[in-house]
Amino acid sequence: MLESGTQITEADSERFDAVLASAGGSALHTGPVRAAARRCDEPPVGLLAALALQAGELLLARAVRRRGLVALHGVQKLRMLRRPRSGAALRSTAAVRSVKPLGAGTATEVVVSFADESGDAVAESTSLLVHSPPLSAPAAPPAPAPGRAAADVDPARVSTYRITRELVAGYAAVSGDHNPIHLSEEAARGAGFDDVIAHGMLTFALAGRHLAERVGADRIDELQLRFSRPLHVPAGGARLTVTDRTAANGALVLAATDAAGTPIATGRAALHPPRTDRGTHRA
């Protein structure tokens, strides 16, 4: 277990938002977009998830030697228990929930909990991190066989983002994730990829931004993505499309695809009910 403290300032949130905004999603949205993606004094969900990943990776770096292994994201889940405020001191606790063999590597589940100065729980992050030799194990454990898909009850909401190497470098700077496979062609190819790959957490952050602009950041209760393959970012850039649909069973189903329509990640989100003008949940 590893405990540490952190503070997300309003400037941190603004820099993070500015990097995501450079992907151009707002201009390329189809359908209604909210005037404000989030309250100015609340950090974006993607930033909180990035800090959780840092805590989890620091725990693993101290506990296990992983020389020569490639680290990739399998699944990322973030549950918001209550809205933190920018500038508030947060305490994080990271713990390994499980370690399982996966081919020649391992799949490690790490849980990071955030609490405020009063000790009240703020958020909980669960990450499935896959460590494998180059060109051997898959990037994530195989997904369970899907059941019968629930019928959609409304049209998909779509956001399209342009992913450039400059954007990836900017995300590395604001998230603290400087893994060279995201920044260097040589490192990426040495790890078995065709080109530089975007951070999985960049996709997660853009999915969070998509939801914030569609339904409001304050309504996001839980966001989970399973990463199916890396998004390669050639010198000319790449395209990432994020969609969400509300199914007949009430679930909010998300998908992220590349320019060819190949799935990069799939997942789901849970939302709080809309609030009334008085700030209370509708019945």
Side-chain angles (χ1 to χ4, degrees):
M1 183 177 292
L2 177 66
E3 294 187 357
S4 59
T6 188
Q7 185 177 33
I8 306 174
T9 67
E10 189 170 329
D12 293 331
S13 297
E14 290 174 352
R15 283 193 293 268
F16 195 88
D17 270 342
V19 168
L20 298 186
S22 71
S26 295
L28 297 174
H29 276 308
T30 61
V33 178
R34 292 174 59 95
R38 64 173 180 85
R39 288 171 54 100
C40 63
D41 58 346
E42 294 180 354
V45 294
L47 178 53
L48 202 59
L51 291 174
L53 180 62
Q54 282 187 38
E57 290 185 333
L58 181 59
L59 173 66
L60 296 183
R62 291 185 177 185
V64 182
R65 296 177 64 87
R66 299 191 182 278
R67 289 183 177 176
L69 299 182
V70 177
L72 290 174
H73 232 105
V75 177
Q76 177 63 39
K77 175 181 175 182
L78 182 69
R79 184 183 177 199
M80 302 300 298
L81 303 175
R82 61 192 200 81
R83 307 304 302 183
R85 291 286 182 261
S86 296
L90 298 177
R91 192 78 184 167
S92 67
T93 302
V96 174
R97 177 176 287 172
S98 66
V99 181
K100 298 179 180 179
L102 181 67
T106 58
T108 304
E109 189 175 31
V110 180
V111 178
V112 179
S113 301
F114 289 99
D116 61 18
E117 295 171 299
S118 301
D120 294 327
V122 170
E124 182 179 87
S125 165
T126 304
S127 303
L128 185 65
L129 304 175
V130 175
H131 297 84
S132 63
L135 296 174
S136 59
R148 183 179 178 182
D152 297 326
V153 297
D154 65 0
R157 290 167 287 210
V158 183
S159 301
T160 301
Y161 301 100
R162 179 163 176 75
I163 310 300
T164 63
R165 291 186 177 178
E166 291 76 17
L167 170 64
V168 173
Y171 179 82
V174 296
S175 70
D177 186 345
H178 299 282
N179 189 327
I181 62 176
H182 305 303
L183 304 170
S184 162
E185 288 184 23
E186 182 180 0
R189 288 174 178 150
F193 302 107
D194 294 335
D195 213 325
V196 168
I197 64 171
H199 303 72
M201 292 298 281
L202 174 56
T203 296
F204 186 90
L206 289 170
R209 182 177 180 83
H210 163 84
L211 289 176
E213 292 187 332
R214 293 303 177 171
V215 301
D218 60 337
R219 291 193 59 202
I220 301 174
D221 175 43
E222 184 176 295
L223 174 58
Q224 176 174 320
L225 287 184
R226 175 182 290 270
F227 303 102
S228 51
R229 63 180 296 159
L231 176 65
H232 290 92
V233 185
R239 190 175 74 213
L240 181 73
T241 299
V242 178
T243 62
D244 77 87
R245 293 177 182 270
T246 304
N249 62 2
L252 198 61
V253 181
L254 293 103
T257 58
D258 63 13
T262 305
I264 299 298
T266 56
R268 60 181 177 80
L271 303 178
H272 294 297
R275 294 180 181 272
T276 65
D277 292 340
R278 293 184 178 180
T280 58
H281 289 310
R282 289 178 180 150

